[in-house]
Amino acid sequence: MIEAPEDPQSPPPERSRTWADTLSKGLFIFSLCLGSLLYGVLAGHYGFFPHQQLKDAKAGAEALVAVLSGEPPPSPSDIPGFPATESTIKDHANQDDGALILVSGGAGYLTSIHEHGCLAWLMDRQGRILHVWKNDPELWADMTHVETLPSVSHIYPVGVHLLPDGGLIVTFQAIASWPFAVGMARFDKDSNLIWKQPYYAHHWFAITDDEKIITPSLQLIESPAPIGNTRGRIVSDDGRDIMADTVTVMSLDGEILEEISMLDALDRSGYIGLYQGGAIDSPLAQTKDPLHLNAVLPVPEEVAAAHDWLNAGDLMVSYRSLNSIAILDRETSDVKWLCAGKTLRQHSPRFFGADHILAFDNLGGDESLGGSRIVKINLETQHAETVFPTAENQPEHTVFSYASGHLDLSPDQSRVLMAVTMQSMILEIDLQSGELLWEYRFVDSGTQMPQPIHTANYCYDVTFEMNQPEAGQ
């Protein structure tokens, strides 16, 4: 049988049509992918939609992963000698000079007194609560400068300062947020808000003799950021902006008066090699938190008088990320003294006498004693020695806080309060002998849960009317 020739006007065979359709679809999909890729490049470079939305989503997802999958902190209930269900006092010296102790709190602290917790409280050495400032869970509900994860983020106080009239100035930080710094607020003795300043203030601040607040704060700057006029660059390690630390000077009314860039101060002073973390064969320092400024303190007159290179009012600062403590000239903001590498992730440096600095050294202590220590550093020689704990003076339990940690000296500098944040403890140490005098461990009576203690301060001559029944005992 002879087949008739195909009609030239008839449709092409089904196989040819399928191949052509597949090619067309492939070219179309390739064009879409190429166009999407090109738009993605432009969006990333120029910030077109949806660059910021994706960036925010990425930041939120990373924060959530960090919270949900991160290693939990050491449990305070594991500390030998302390019950897990109630606050405990151990007085080893039976000394009471009449000082009250101001303790930072937050949500979940003293819930039997206030359902939303207490922002801070005053107690005596017997652990009796004499005055509380209530925690307001709505204080930062209207903030837009910090991104938080709903039902995950937690805002908490860090630095607290008691005013003579019973008022309180507080810095706030947040877990699972971007950035971690929230701001500062002032309250009266009855917990009423006087002002709040959403200006990325964080950690511990100081009040100067002329009634100014000097506080660690930060700005967000684009990545990469130059290191002086070198080829070096600070590059964010997760695509976010860089947290560029500053020292901010404020009035007691919350007005911002001055801002000092810490990155500029280090670059201008020639400390361009401090940022590079590790032996990386690259001009890039990969971090979004190059300094982690966690304390600022003015140089007292008696310390300045003992050193011809110091002036009263110069600023001592602590850079956790650089394992460094520095002193800046108050007039020029130049670094005039820097001690690097004597501590590891330190916090809360304090002038001790005319010739030394004490610091809470988070990771620089003997591991067999817990790992954290109080270290004493000589201002002239930079010699560092451990004050507490030592093999001769060690408590029944180890001492360790991988984060935070705070020191407060008694007025005569014979003793120091050591807030061991992640163990929910306050220890009082004799600075001449290194002996442990007194210790307190906080457990909320309502939830029966220990909570971190970020600040513990000595308070003398408290004259305002206190609000707890035990205050009259």
Side-chain angles (χ1 to χ4, degrees):
M1 176 179 177
I2 300 175
E3 295 182 356
E6 293 184 1
D7 185 348
Q9 302 299 320
S10 63
E14 188 65 29
R15 181 179 301 173
S16 299
R17 181 183 302 169
T18 301
W19 181 87
D21 290 346
T22 301
L23 179 62
S24 298
K25 290 178 181 178
L27 290 173
F28 178 72
I29 292 172
F30 175 77
S31 299
L32 285 177
C33 292
L34 181 61
S36 299
L37 176 64
L38 292 175
Y39 183 81
V41 171
L42 293 173
H45 184 76
Y46 294 105
F48 296 160
F49 175 85
H51 170 71
Q52 188 59 47
Q53 288 75 11
L54 292 174
K55 183 178 178 182
D56 293 344
K58 178 176 180 288
E62 288 173 346
L64 181 60
V65 169
V67 170
L68 298 182
S69 65
E71 287 292 324
S75 171
S77 62
D78 295 333
I79 300 175
F82 286 101
T85 58
E86 61 183 10
S87 295
T88 307
I89 297 284
K90 292 186 178 182
D91 192 345
H92 303 283
N94 295 314
Q95 298 177 359
D96 190 345
D97 62 352
L100 300 182
I101 298 173
L102 176 67
V103 185
S104 64
Y109 294 69
L110 301 181
T111 52
S112 60
I113 296 177
H114 183 55
E115 63 175 327
H116 298 301
C118 292
L119 193 63
W121 66 90
L122 273 172
M123 70 179 188
D124 62 18
R125 290 183 183 275
Q126 290 71 49
R128 292 179 299 195
I129 307 300
L130 307 179
H131 189 86
V132 301
W133 291 265
K134 297 177 181 179
N135 178 64
D136 179 5
E138 300 300 318
L139 176 66
W140 298 104
D142 60 348
M143 70 179 180
T144 58
H145 65 298
V146 174
E147 300 172 10
T148 60
L149 291 174
S151 302
V152 175
S153 295
H154 172 62
I155 297 174
Y156 59 98
V158 178
V160 295
H161 179 88
L162 179 63
L163 297 169
D165 63 357
L168 206 65
I169 300 177
V170 184
T171 51
F172 292 85
Q173 296 178 192
I175 297 171
S177 72
W178 174 251
F180 69 88
V182 173
M184 179 179 285
R186 178 176 174 177
F187 307 87
D188 67 16
K189 73 178 184 65
D190 299 315
S191 309
N192 298 309
L193 178 66
I194 297 176
W195 55 258
K196 65 178 179 180
Q197 178 60 265
Y199 192 67
Y200 294 136
H202 55 87
H203 283 96
W204 296 282
F205 56 96
I207 308 295
T208 63
D209 291 339
D210 60 350
E211 297 190 330
K212 299 291 192 305
I213 304 169
I214 50 173
T215 181
S217 55
L218 60 85
Q219 294 180 342
L220 298 179
I221 62 174
E222 290 186 359
S223 174
I227 300 175
N229 59 0
T230 73
R231 289 181 177 271
R233 296 291 185 271
I234 301 171
V235 178
S236 176
D237 52 2
D238 65 0
R240 303 176 186 173
D241 289 334
I242 293 168
M243 292 184 286
D245 280 305
T246 60
V247 168
T248 296
V249 182
M250 302 169 62
S251 72
L252 288 181
D253 295 324
E255 178 187 0
I256 296 172
L257 305 174
E258 184 183 1
E259 191 173 31
I260 305 167
S261 167
M262 294 294 97
L263 290 177
D264 288 350
L266 286 167
D267 290 350
R268 188 173 56 250
S269 303
Y271 291 105
I272 56 175
L274 290 175
Y275 306 110
Q276 190 71 60
I280 302 173
D281 188 17
S282 168
L284 307 180
Q286 297 183 346
T287 174
K288 63 177 177 293
D289 191 7
L291 303 181
H292 199 89
L293 174 69
N294 58 41
V296 56
L297 199 67
V299 174
E301 290 185 2
E302 58 271 23
V303 175
H307 305 274
D308 57 10
W309 50 273
L310 276 177
N311 296 309
D314 285 346
L315 301 177
M316 178 170 66
V317 295
S318 170
Y319 303 130
R320 188 204 68 181
S321 295
L322 304 183
N323 301 317
S324 300
I325 300 170
I327 299 177
L328 277 61
D329 187 291
R330 184 63 183 90
E331 298 299 322
T332 66
S333 302
D334 291 340
V335 177
K336 59 168 55 177
W337 182 89
L338 186 135
C339 179
K342 300 288 186 175
T343 54
L344 188 56
R345 311 283 279 186
Q346 79 292 324
H347 288 77
S348 194
R350 295 287 181 264
F351 289 103
F352 179 46
D355 299 316
H356 291 89
I357 290 170
L358 293 182
F360 189 111
D361 192 1
N362 292 71
L363 302 180
D366 188 325
E367 183 179 4
S368 67
L369 302 175
S372 295
R373 64 173 176 165
I374 299 175
V375 63
K376 181 171 69 173
I377 301 171
N378 187 284
L379 276 169
E380 294 292 343
T381 66
Q382 297 194 6
H383 173 71
E385 63 178 293
T386 299
V387 174
F388 177 86
T390 64
E392 296 74 27
N393 290 304
Q394 54 180 303
E396 299 172 358
H397 49 79
T398 58
V399 177
F400 179 59
S401 185
Y402 68 88
S404 196
H406 179 260
L407 302 179
D408 189 50
L409 286 161
S410 64
D412 63 0
Q413 298 201 340
S414 65
R415 293 162 287 119
V416 65
L417 288 178
M418 180 187 193
V420 189
T421 300
M422 303 313 296
Q423 289 182 320
S424 305
M425 287 197 307
I426 304 172
L427 307 179
E428 185 176 34
I429 315 300
D430 184 302
L431 288 171
Q432 297 304 315
S433 65
E435 294 179 355
L436 177 61
L437 301 175
W438 178 88
E439 51 188 321
Y440 167 77
R441 178 174 179 267
F442 173 73
V443 176
D444 179 64
S445 60
T447 62
Q448 295 189 332
M449 293 290 293
Q451 301 282 0
I453 296 176
H454 293 280
T455 298
N457 288 335
Y458 289 107
C459 296
Y460 293 85
D461 301 321
V462 177
T463 58
F464 61 90
E465 183 179 357
M466 291 183 274
N467 60 19
Q468 291 305 299
E470 294 178 348
Q473 296 179 1

